[in-house]
Amino acid sequence: EEMARVIVGQRSVVDGVLTCLLAGSHALLEGVPGLGKTLLVRTLAQTLGLESSRIQFTPDLMPADVIGTVVLDEGAQGGKVFEFRKGPIFANVVLADEINRATPKTQSALLEAMQEHRVTVGRTTHVLAEPYFVLATQNPLEMEGTYPLPEAQLDRFFFKLDVPFPNREELHAIVDRTTTDHHVEVRPVATQKEILDMQALVRRVPVARHVQDYAIR
């Protein structure tokens, strides 16, 4: 309800994103540009009081641009020390915008983080803060200069959610909000601990055998 104060419509997409978050997995959003996918991610982070970051995937993006890099820096005693500078992947909610524009090498930089919630640089492993949630977007229309996501990458996503085009009433509401001084400050409605507690609760919910059997079949 708090997100709906900013996001017009898209209720099923919001529900799907929240389902992925509580299941402890990640979501892939597919839709044409301009449908508010970036706004949705930013609003989600604000309503949950989480740190967010955005990575714009491009063909020349390198893995170090995503996970970070080791740099040679001045030490306290004047000597040279190696220091790890964290990349944008170190956040609670990460928006991977137009993920299919990056090369497979750069896409693979996300694999360890999405699966194991950690990043290995050189011989050092850095654990990511929980909860950790990746929301990736891809444009289904513009195929030029894109790289299809490999099966291993797709496997990291719980859902691929279709972001539909708004209907006429929703478009009127969007125009009313974006052509006036309408501004909404969303307030956090859950804390980091509450989200982790809800993720733990999801794991304790029993699954009926016939439902499990249907999923397996």
Side-chain angles (χ1 to χ4, degrees), residues 108-156:
S108 66
L110 287 171
L111 293 179
E112 183 185 14
M114 291 174 70
Q115 184 67 31
E116 300 170 38
H117 294 197
R118 65 184 191 185
V119 172
T120 302
V121 180
R123 297 180 180 178
T124 309
T125 298
H126 305 268
V127 178
L128 297 163
E130 298 289 347
Y132 186 69
F133 184 46
V134 174
L135 263 169
T137 69
Q138 66 176 12
N139 178 0
L141 299 181
E142 193 178 349
M143 298 309 295
E144 189 177 338
T146 61
Y147 301 84
L149 297 184
E151 203 62 40
Q153 180 91 38
L154 287 172
D155 185 58
R156 278 11 182 219

Side-chain angles (χ1 to χ4, degrees), residues 30-48:
E30 187 173 83
V32 296
L35 296 184
K37 298 186 291 292
T38 306
L39 180 64
L40 186 148
V41 177
R42 194 167 66 241
T43 306
L44 175 74
Q46 289 172 345
T47 53
L48 299 179

Side-chain angles (χ1 to χ4, degrees), residues 2-76:
E2 187 66 20
M3 288 181 69
R5 295 174 60 213
V6 175
I7 307 296
V8 177
Q10 310 291 15
R11 194 58 182 261
S12 63
V13 177
V14 172
D15 284 348
V17 164
L18 291 174
T19 301
C20 281
L21 176 65
L22 295 180
S25 193
H26 315 283
L28 177 63
L29 305 180
E30 187 173 83
V32 296
L35 296 184
K37 298 186 291 292
T38 306
L39 180 64
L40 186 148
V41 177
R42 194 167 66 241
T43 306
L44 175 74
Q46 289 172 345
T47 53
L48 299 179
L50 299 174
E51 183 188 349
S52 66
S53 69
R54 180 177 184 271
I55 309 170
Q56 181 64 54
F57 279 68
T58 56
D60 60 349
L61 190 76
M62 299 298 290
D65 299 327
V66 176
I67 62 178
T69 186
V70 176
V71 296
L72 194 62
D73 206 359
E74 290 280 349

Side-chain angles (χ1 to χ4, degrees), residues 76-97:
Q77 273 71 43
K80 300 287 186 181
V81 292
F82 285 103
E83 181 190 342
F84 176 63
R85 299 270 174 90
K86 293 180 177 179
I89 204 170
F90 286 86
N92 297 119
V93 180
V94 177
L95 170 62
D97 211 6

